[in-house]
Amino acid sequence: MLQNNRELKGKIDLLWDKFWSGGISNPLTAIEQITYLLFMKRLDELDLKRQSDAEWTDEKYTSKFEGVWVPPEHRTKLSGRESATELVEILAHDRHQYGVDKRTLRWSEFKRMQAEEMLQHVQGKVFPFLKDLNGAESNFTHHMRNAVFIIPKPALLVEAVKTIDDIFEVMERDSRENGQAFQDIQGDVYEMLLSEIATAGKNGQFRTPRHIIKLMADLVQPQLGHKIADPACGSGGFLLGAYQYIVTQLAINAGTNNLTPDEDGFVRTSVAATLTEKAQAILASSLWGYDIDATMVRLGLMNLMMHGIDEPHIDYKDTLSKSYTEESEYDIVLANPPFTGSIDKGDINENLQLGTTKTELLFVENIFRLLKKGGTACVIVPQGVLFGSGGAFKTLRQLLVERCDLKAVITMPSGVFKPYAGVSTAILLFTKVWGSKDKVTQPATEKVWFYEMAADGYSLDDRRSKQEGNGDLQDIIVQFHNRDSCSTAADTDTDRTTKCFMVPRTEIASEKNNYDLSHSRYKTNVFEDVHYDAPGVILERLIQAEVGEVDEMELARVQSGIVRELLELKGMLG
């Protein structure tokens, strides 16, 4: 992943240092301001590419930077009773008096301005234009209403613009050389900035590593037409992961056959893959995200828009609260909800029945509620959810086993989320079979596939440097999709000494196991017989290592030190 590109990391470090020294020291404020600039840059690039593609295919495309833009505050308020002639005259007057040539709002245009002029132009025209990009009634404009551009110094803006140009150049080269055709640009910068600050991970504000998102997408295999959600979406990484997977499958189905695996072993292609207008419209309307942090909502909206989704469905909502009423809406839910402890009991949606305030449990129950019957979720949880002894823990696990087809429990090593957090986590993959009010006539799960991930292709320390190979990532995908063909009917003969195996529901639900879902509960440990030398022989060897070959009389004269103590131990053994 790009986090291992030293040149890019150096550029990100430089950008962060510039904002810090320029007076913007709050991490999320800096990230948001940087995202605005990334958005300006990416919007220009995407528009130019669409123009070029339209010319190549001889299709019509209207550039976002074509014509004249009138700032909202200078638009004449209309009563709705104007005649067509009056309306034309009013619009013509506004454009003539207050209109801004949209071409000057392009990144490639304003970056050539002098420092003072550039700052005034970006503050007074470019940023207001971005906020108004999708029209006054759009979701994007609504969430951008309170956004402010607060880069205070001309020199800081000039340096930031130059550094961002350099970052995109490095990313393009990385894409060509390492097969990373699809880049989560804003997400990568966001993650790398967070890794620079001590408060990374506070309140759950950290991003799921891209290779884990790709793993989860390959497990779920979302399809065009599926309605996909993330109820705690942050910067939109899971939604982009689903989008990327679907785009890749459409490209393969259309005959693209020269795709090579990326550095994590996944086959992916970019948004540049040929999509029909209908497919693009279906895909854009398929992705839904919610978050309780207004800054993250803006970041998520811009992130998806930077990848060609013009009207993202990302909104400010607390999906655990009483005000969130959606139920049985989604075919796929991909999520890594925050593990922030407890929330106020009075705020919890009455439809959530676990009787707990622990968010890691409530989110999983809520995800179950959001799924349509037959819908599938792939969710990251702290490993404590698998074996916690409290009543709510057991009730949730029972729900997953009896009302859902719990397909897989994949435990991950604690280093996967470093440097943000060292918590051990697991991936739960389940399909909803019985609704929360249905009478369960037959438990939905027959058997559960367990896998113990030992490595994810990166070092498990704070550095998270790329290792040779892909760890267990590709093995997990192959083994999961072949799990039925390699297991017996009763699953009593599966080899539980290996890292993956099947366990029947009857064993999990037994009185002995009480719906425990921890891998170690069912794994058979293999103990090897190890032969050790007799203690006297070991002591003799230690003494020789200290003093070499000497006779007994000389040894007897040793009065103190470790040799004396070893001799005394030897004497005790007789």
Side-chain angles (χ1 to χ4, degrees):
M1 56 184 173
L2 279 167
Q3 281 64 28
N4 294 283
N5 184 315
R6 291 187 179 180
E7 185 181 3
L8 180 63
K9 190 175 187 309
K11 299 288 186 188
I12 299 290
D13 288 346
L14 180 65
L15 187 60
W16 169 248
D17 290 340
K18 289 183 188 303
F19 271 78
W20 182 273
S21 59
I24 301 177
S25 56
N26 180 292
L28 273 181
T29 302
I31 290 166
E32 189 170 18
Q33 297 301 308
I34 290 167
T35 297
Y36 296 151
L37 295 175
L38 290 170
F39 188 51
M40 294 173 194
K41 166 75 174 175
R42 178 65 175 156
L43 193 67
D44 187 14
E45 281 197 345
L46 202 57
D47 186 79
L48 290 170
K49 186 180 185 314
R50 284 178 169 177
Q51 278 185 282
S52 175
D53 289 347
E55 289 172 9
W56 177 259
T57 57
D58 202 26
E59 295 176 357
K60 181 173 175 55
Y61 172 71
T62 303
S63 167
K64 292 183 184 297
F65 297 97
E66 183 179 314
V68 173
W69 173 70
V70 178
E73 65 271 19
H74 294 309
R75 294 170 194 166
T76 301
K77 291 183 179 179
L78 302 173
S79 65
R81 295 189 295 272
E82 292 84 3
S83 66
T85 303
E86 289 173 328
L87 189 59
V88 169
E89 288 176 355
I90 291 169
L91 294 176
H93 170 268
D94 288 351
R95 282 197 297 270
H96 177 74
Q97 193 76 16
Y98 305 108
V100 178
D101 184 349
K102 288 185 182 179
R103 284 177 301 174
T104 67
L105 305 175
R106 285 187 181 276
W107 175 279
S108 50
E109 292 290 329
F110 71 71
K111 75 175 186 178
R112 295 197 290 265
M113 294 178 176
Q114 295 298 313
E116 289 281 357
E117 182 188 4
M118 186 196 295
L119 182 60
Q120 289 179 11
H121 186 68
V122 172
Q123 278 181 336
K125 295 177 181 177
V126 179
F127 188 66
F129 168 69
L130 292 183
K131 292 172 68 171
D132 187 50
L133 192 62
N134 287 353
E137 303 304 316
S138 76
N139 186 47
F140 177 72
T141 301
H142 170 72
H143 288 294
M144 290 293 287
R145 188 167 294 136
N146 295 324
V148 289
F149 188 80
I150 59 170
I151 293 178
K153 300 173 183 175
L156 175 59
L157 178 59
V158 170
E159 290 176 349
V161 166
K162 182 182 183 306
T163 305
I164 286 172
D165 269 339
D166 292 343
I167 285 170
F168 271 72
E169 189 178 318
V170 174
M171 285 180 164
E172 287 169 10
R173 190 162 62 248
D174 185 274
S175 172
R176 290 194 303 270
E177 295 173 359
N178 296 320
Q180 294 283 1
F182 184 99
Q183 304 289 16
D184 181 359
I185 298 163
Q186 185 265 318
D188 282 314
V189 174
Y190 171 65
E191 183 173 337
M192 294 176 82
L193 282 168
L194 281 183
S195 70
E196 295 299 308
I197 56 178
T199 55
K202 186 178 180 183
N203 297 327
Q205 296 274 20
F206 57 84
R207 184 168 168 259
T208 309
R210 186 195 312 169
H211 59 288
I212 300 298
I213 292 175
K214 286 187 282 195
L215 167 68
M216 292 167 68
D218 270 43
L219 292 171
V220 174
Q221 298 181 325
Q223 304 297 312
L224 183 67
H226 280 159
K227 192 174 182 183
I228 303 164
D230 181 349
C233 68
S235 64
F238 276 106
L239 299 177
L240 276 177
Y243 180 74
Q244 179 187 10
Y245 180 88
I246 295 170
V247 164
T248 302
Q249 296 308 307
L250 291 173
I252 292 171
N253 294 341
T256 304
N257 54 16
N258 58 346
L259 300 176
T260 55
D262 62 23
E263 61 186 345
D264 298 311
F266 296 95
V267 174
R268 294 291 188 270
T269 188
S270 73
V271 71
T274 304
L275 285 179
T276 65
E277 191 173 326
K278 182 180 179 182
Q280 179 68 30
I282 293 170
L283 193 47
S285 65
S286 299
L287 307 171
W288 298 76
Y290 305 101
D291 205 276
I292 59 171
D293 185 313
T295 298
M296 299 310 296
V297 170
R298 288 196 287 267
L299 295 183
L301 284 164
M302 286 185 282
N303 204 9
L304 265 63
M305 290 174 73
M306 279 193 274
H307 290 89
I309 303 169
D310 291 333
E311 282 283 2
H313 301 289
I314 293 182
D315 214 342
Y316 176 85
K317 283 184 183 176
D318 180 353
T319 52
L320 297 181
S321 71
K322 289 182 169 70
S323 61
Y324 185 70
T325 57
E326 283 193 321
E327 190 165 350
S328 301
E329 279 284 329
Y330 299 99
D331 300 290
I332 303 283
V333 175
L334 291 163
N336 177 16
F339 319 141
T340 53
S342 300
I343 62 173
D344 188 340
K345 194 171 184 178
D347 290 339
I348 300 172
N349 192 306
E350 293 94 338
N351 291 308
L352 300 176
Q353 300 295 312
L354 282 180
T356 182
T357 58
K358 292 184 177 296
T359 56
E360 63 267 35
L361 302 181
L362 291 170
F363 264 111
V364 178
E365 184 190 3
N366 198 37
I367 286 166
F368 161 78
R369 193 169 67 95
L370 291 176
L371 286 172
K372 297 175 182 177
K373 286 185 183 178
T376 297
C378 198
V379 187
I380 296 174
V381 297
Q383 283 192 27
V385 170
L386 306 181
F387 55 79
S389 59
F393 285 89
K394 182 195 166 185
T395 302
L396 177 66
R397 295 195 297 266
Q398 187 173 352
L399 178 147
L400 292 174
V401 169
E402 296 192 351
R403 293 188 177 272
C404 302
D405 179 6
L406 180 58
K407 297 177 184 294
V409 177
I410 302 166
T411 56
M412 296 191 286
S414 60
V416 166
F417 285 97
K418 284 186 175 178
Y420 316 124
V423 63
S424 294
T425 55
I427 296 171
L428 297 177
L429 180 60
F430 56 92
T431 296
K432 183 175 180 176
V433 176
W434 301 100
S436 55
K437 295 177 182 176
D438 293 339
K439 181 180 179 181
V440 178
T441 57
Q442 171 65 34
T445 301
E446 289 185 17
K447 51 197 174 185
V448 179
W449 184 73
F450 287 84
Y451 193 107
E452 184 179 30
M453 181 197 293
D456 67 342
Y458 295 83
S459 65
L460 297 172
D461 54 18
D462 285 356
R463 295 175 65 85
R464 294 291 279 146
S465 52
K466 186 75 179 83
Q467 306 293 289
E468 190 173 344
N470 303 309
D472 294 322
L473 298 178
Q474 299 308 315
D475 185 57
I476 289 171
I477 294 163
V478 171
Q479 298 278 7
F480 173 73
H481 291 301
N482 291 328
R483 68 195 186 284
D484 290 326
S485 61
C486 63
S487 62
T488 64
D491 294 307
T492 53
D493 298 326
T494 51
D495 183 0
R496 294 194 188 175
T497 63
T498 60
K499 61 174 63 177
C500 66
F501 48 78
M502 286 283 204
V503 179
R505 172 191 52 79
T506 50
E507 183 177 347
I508 292 169
S510 67
E511 188 175 342
K512 173 189 171 186
N513 292 316
N514 205 19
Y515 293 96
D516 192 307
L517 294 174
S518 51
H519 182 277
S520 58
R521 184 83 175 189
Y522 305 101
K523 183 173 182 179
T524 301
N525 292 311
V526 178
F527 300 100
E528 294 181 10
D529 287 332
V530 180
H531 172 73
Y532 295 102
D533 292 329
V537 174
I538 295 172
L539 285 169
E540 189 68 44
R541 195 179 299 134
L542 289 171
I543 292 167
Q544 265 193 10
E546 288 292 326
V547 299
E549 294 288 344
V550 296
D551 57 36
E552 293 288 333
M553 289 182 62
E554 193 171 343
L555 270 178
R557 287 198 291 270
V558 177
Q559 298 296 314
S560 63
I562 190 169
V563 175
R564 180 75 263 160
E565 292 173 3
L566 290 172
L567 287 169
E568 288 174 0
L569 281 172
K570 188 179 176 186
M572 291 179 192
L573 293 173

